[in-house]
Amino acid sequence: MKLLNKTVQYYFLLSVILLLVAVPVFYFVLKRIVIANVDARLIATKTQLVPRLQVMDEYPEDDNPLLNNDITLERAAPHTGRDSLYTSDVVDSTSRRRVTYRLLTSHLVINQETYRLQIKSSLANHEALITSIIILQVLLLSLLLAGLLLINRSLARQVWKPFYNTLRKLRAYKVDDAAPLLLGKPGVSEFEELNTAVEQLAERSRKAYVSQKEFAENASHEMRTPLAIFQGKLELLMQTTPLTEEQAALITDMATASQRMGRLNKGLILLTRIQNGQFPETEDISVQKMAIHLLEQYRAQAEQKQLGMETDWQEDLVVNANPVLIEVLLSNLLANAIRHNLNGGNILVKIANGTFTVQNTGQLYALNTARLFQRFAKSSADAESMGLGLEIVKKVCDLYKYEITYVYEHPMHVFSVKMKG
């Protein structure tokens, strides 16, 4: 959820809670005010009636023009209590419906007789008025809430516009661009500080990228040349005579170490280039065709170990990626399947459901998955293994958002790369 929407959501929830609390409170307060007003009128009516009733004839309750449906007077037992005010539902004599009334009951003495005076006032009209006021208040508050939310959303968009501009420029920025990242000055102190910090960070990242790129290029060139000269000199040395068996063995070990150093140099430089994103070119690649081509290249090595090679092409998987990296990914998986296999073992290469899978026999237990894709992690004592192949495979998968998994299904080790969902 966007920060803007989350802010509006909080405003909305708080406003709804406030509305739900305010409306009942307003209703009860308004009702108390109305009842207090009605009570004041009942007391005022009683105050006006009592002096006039006390000077009446012997039977003031009979045919008294001061009495009506709302004002009644009847004889009662002697009473010394205070006047009482209460609310009660009374059946209306005209409409025969129950109506809520506010009643005032008072006792007075007329001609040495105790009478109970009851004055009532209907609350029906008042309750209808209160209901109308509450409905109007809810409507007004709802409109006010909706208006405030719209205004707040509009203002928030304007306030956050510099942030989204910065975000858009960051998404379009590439660290290998020669031009520096310029985010401008939005006129808001916080965003200006953010833009300045991001510009400085982008510039440091660009300089670090250029330095690493130059190092990778220089290291590749500077180390390749002496290694080539060293290997050439070793080959010349091996052709010299006389050469003892012990000298030949030493020269062979040196040549093997030189080749290993060359492969290690090539692997580390490749990892650096992948991490620096120096393979931007992409094209549509048939994984099946590339795998068939690589299997032909590795056929001699497979035959040397008498491996059974099987393929299962259920579809032609086509991906958009850099061809060099896809070739590195496939060749490393195939090379590992051959290198770490048993003599007379089996290899199955399969494409199905957007997934490239390599299965091979090997050691009769699962590999350590915690260190499987780490640098220089080796699962065998093979001198040809550099411990970089699977890390390179993982880096390529991370670059293109592929999912690589490993499982051991006795007696097969299964590596799967899901390239399409």
Side-chain angles (χ1 to χ4, degrees), residues 86 95 118 203 255 302 307:
Y86 57 95
S95 62
Q118 190 175 70
E203 183 62 21
L307 301 178

Side-chain angles (χ1 to χ4, degrees), residues 222-243:
E222 296 299 332
M223 293 185 69
R224 190 183 297 118
T225 301
L227 283 173
I229 295 174
F230 183 67
Q231 291 174 358
K233 295 296 183 181
L234 286 176
E235 291 175 1
L236 291 175
L237 187 59
M238 292 179 70
Q239 296 174 7
T240 60
T241 56
L243 191 65

